[in-house]
Amino acid sequence: MGGDWAEIAQEQAERGDETLVINMGPQHPSTHGVLRLILECDGETVVKIRPAIGFLHTGIEKNMEYRTWVQGSTFVTRMDYVAPLFNEAAYCLAVERLLGIEDRIPQRANEIRVLMMELCRIASHLVAIGTGGMEIGALTVMTIGFREREMILDFFEAVTGLRMNHAYIRPGGVNNDLPESGLAQLRDVIKWLEDHLPEYAAFCNENPIFKGRMMGIGRQDLTGCMALGVTGPMLRATGLPWDLRKTQPYCGYETYDFDVMAWQPEDGWASSDAYARFRIRLDEMWESLKIVKQCAERLEASVGMPVMIDDLKIGSPADLAVGPDGQGNSNEHIKHIMGESMEALIHHFKLVTEGFKVPAGQAYVPIESPKGELGCHVVSDGGTRPYRAHMRDPGFNHLQSIPLQCEGGMISDVVVAVGSIDPVMGGVDR
């Protein structure tokens, strides 16, 4: 991570003033070695910041060009290891648009997609709030945040077989239906969240130390957000109620009852700062829980309905289920493919070895991730693999706004500002 450090240090030495150059980071848990902030300071005041973004080099997008369209879901889920299901959804929606099957996705599949995404939104906000609190000394916020997140991850594991990197949302629907105990476990998760989410407001909303550390820090007004392409909670913290679930709905979001949380200043105090972003995420968890409850009711009414498109050229030839060991495929699935239907075996073999062809063209589909607008742009040359796949990750734009938020402030405030952005570098450094 040396980069141009020697040149920067030499340049400052030749100036002969009291400016101090600091190579800061990583501080935030998700910036382990992949975000470098070059600070020029006058004492404790930050005069200038240069963010150096990108040292992870996972090469996900390039790897996808050598895998089938279905295998792409396994790659994009790793771009955001805190909210993986959103990457899967954006990618699959883009592939489905190229296939021309957007209107053929089963109702129950869309209900499960919405359920999983909203639970994942809560889990992601819990990490943002928890780790952000930890960085300013509010350690209890972190410990309880991960406590609630574990309940959600347990549910994900019961449904998908995995706690993260699920590859659960697939082109045409979802990989498998909820297990027999899925709805009962979901009710337990809902009850747990209803009982424990109020603790965050009790800990932080009126805590004078917490407010003193975050109010007025990392301010970025609406003009600054629009200029730098900032979206999500950071944009809504300026008071603008922009949410793609409402403005450009997908997966049937237009049929759900929920509100878009936009921060309104209190007592003449300006918004657009770290505290407003915290409060926005806190309110959004409640709205997501409202959607989750509606999903539970709909899924209870649609038990037995398909969760994958009825097209053997695209969907799995048998209803998948998580095996008894908590992973792999169920015996019923294997029995159908290997011992009951030659046609199913042929389709299974073709899908696994070659995949399906996607008509030539390109599509861009944006969705509302916990961090902001997450978009997927896919290009097909008519083959069985993406010609090009690119994710528009909100974190990349948001990290470029650090100088706007922090220049003129204190060194200690940089930590608060970066935490309030909620960056996940797996998406930035593809």
Side-chain angles (χ1 to χ4, degrees):
M1 291 185 64
D4 55 353
W5 176 251
E7 298 176 13
I8 294 171
Q10 182 61 34
E11 178 184 335
Q12 301 305 317
E14 292 173 355
R15 284 166 55 173
D17 56 18
E18 295 298 318
T19 300
L20 180 65
V21 182
I22 300 174
N23 200 15
M24 184 177 182
Q27 168 64 29
H28 193 273
S30 72
T31 63
H32 40 78
V34 290
L35 174 65
R36 168 189 174 208
L37 298 176
I38 304 163
L39 277 60
E40 295 183 20
C41 304
D42 180 7
E44 288 289 317
T45 302
V46 178
V47 178
K48 184 177 181 181
I49 295 182
R50 279 179 276 184
I53 307 169
F55 292 92
L56 200 57
H57 297 311
T58 51
I60 288 177
E61 292 178 348
K62 197 64 181 176
N63 274 304
M64 290 170 65
E65 298 173 16
Y66 298 89
R67 300 294 189 274
T68 68
W69 291 96
V70 173
Q71 288 172 322
S73 186
T74 308
F75 280 88
V76 297
T77 189
R78 287 163 167 77
M79 289 182 181
D80 187 345
Y81 30 81
V82 179
L85 289 155
F86 289 91
N87 287 64
E88 298 175 22
Y91 170 74
C92 291
L93 288 171
V95 175
E96 289 163 2
R97 182 164 297 179
L98 283 181
L99 287 168
I101 62 172
E102 290 177 286
D103 296 333
R104 295 170 56 197
I105 306 304
Q107 171 192 329
R108 186 171 175 85
N110 273 329
E111 291 168 356
I112 294 177
R113 285 180 175 184
V114 172
L115 167 69
M116 300 294 274
M117 282 191 285
E118 292 310 311
L119 283 174
C120 198
R121 189 185 309 278
I122 297 173
S124 179
H125 282 346
L126 286 170
V127 173
I129 290 172
T131 55
M134 176 187 66
E135 288 171 350
I136 62 173
L139 192 62
T140 306
V141 180
M142 185 272 292
T143 56
I144 64 174
F146 278 80
R147 178 190 64 193
E148 270 69 84
R149 180 171 176 263
E150 282 298 308
M151 296 291 293
I152 296 174
L153 295 188
D154 286 345
F155 178 76
F156 286 166
E157 187 174 11
V159 175
T160 72
L162 295 164
R163 288 163 54 86
M164 59 187 292
N165 300 337
H166 313 278
Y168 176 68
I169 299 176
R170 305 285 181 90
V174 295
N175 193 41
N176 55 268
D177 203 344
L178 302 182
E180 291 184 8
S181 60
L183 282 174
Q185 186 173 354
L186 177 59
R187 299 288 185 189
D188 291 340
V189 173
I190 292 172
K191 180 64 167 60
W192 181 275
L193 292 174
E194 286 179 331
D195 291 343
H196 291 85
L197 284 184
E199 293 182 22
Y200 298 89
F203 268 121
C204 305
N205 283 9
E206 299 304 325
N207 184 320
I209 300 176
F210 188 88
K211 292 176 71 173
R213 192 71 180 87
M214 300 188 76
M215 290 178 66
I217 304 301
R219 292 200 69 244
Q220 183 167 343
D221 61 15
L222 179 58
T223 301
C225 288
M226 299 299 287
L228 293 175
V230 170
T231 54
M234 289 183 62
L235 177 62
R236 291 189 286 275
T238 68
L240 180 67
W242 180 264
D243 189 314
L244 293 176
R245 293 174 295 175
K246 288 284 191 182
T247 58
Q248 301 174 32
Y250 50 93
C251 293
Y253 267 110
E254 66 275 13
T255 66
Y256 291 86
D257 176 31
F258 67 99
D259 297 317
V260 176
M261 294 293 103
W263 184 249
Q264 300 301 322
E266 297 179 346
D267 301 326
W269 159 69
S271 58
S272 313
D273 60 8
Y275 182 71
R277 293 165 203 153
F278 161 78
R279 291 288 296 269
I280 286 290
R281 293 186 178 103
L282 202 59
D283 292 340
E284 284 187 358
M285 288 195 292
W286 284 106
E287 293 304 308
S288 291
L289 189 58
K290 186 190 299 183
I291 298 174
V292 168
K293 292 178 185 178
Q294 296 172 61
C295 288
E297 295 175 359
R298 298 186 186 194
L299 288 169
E300 196 166 8
S302 64
V303 171
M305 294 176 64
V307 297
M308 178 58 72
I309 187 172
D310 184 18
D311 187 337
L312 294 179
K313 301 295 184 183
I314 299 173
S316 170
D319 290 328
L320 288 172
V322 177
D325 58 352
Q327 54 189 332
N329 297 326
S330 65
N331 292 330
E332 291 77 12
H333 168 77
I334 298 171
K335 177 183 177 182
H336 176 70
I337 291 179
M338 302 302 293
E340 295 179 348
S341 171
M342 177 58 73
E343 183 183 15
L345 178 60
I346 292 171
H347 281 293
H348 177 78
F349 180 80
K350 289 287 287 183
L351 283 173
V352 171
T353 59
E354 182 181 287
F356 51 77
K357 291 185 178 180
V358 173
Q362 58 181 322
Y364 174 78
V365 175
I367 67 172
E368 189 69 37
S369 84
K371 300 164 180 61
E373 179 176 327
L374 171 67
C376 181
H377 179 215
V378 291
V379 181
S380 173
D381 59 3
T384 58
R385 304 181 303 186
Y387 177 78
R388 183 76 174 91
H390 174 67
M391 302 297 288
R392 188 270 186 201
D393 182 87
F396 186 73
N397 290 68
H398 295 175
L399 287 170
Q400 295 178 75
S401 66
I402 292 177
L404 179 61
Q405 294 184 33
C406 299
E407 288 180 354
M410 307 293 284
I411 295 176
S412 58
D413 295 339
V414 175
V415 176
V416 177
V418 174
S420 73
I421 289 175
D422 185 23
V424 170
M425 304 302 290
V428 173
D429 308 306
R430 293 174 298 276

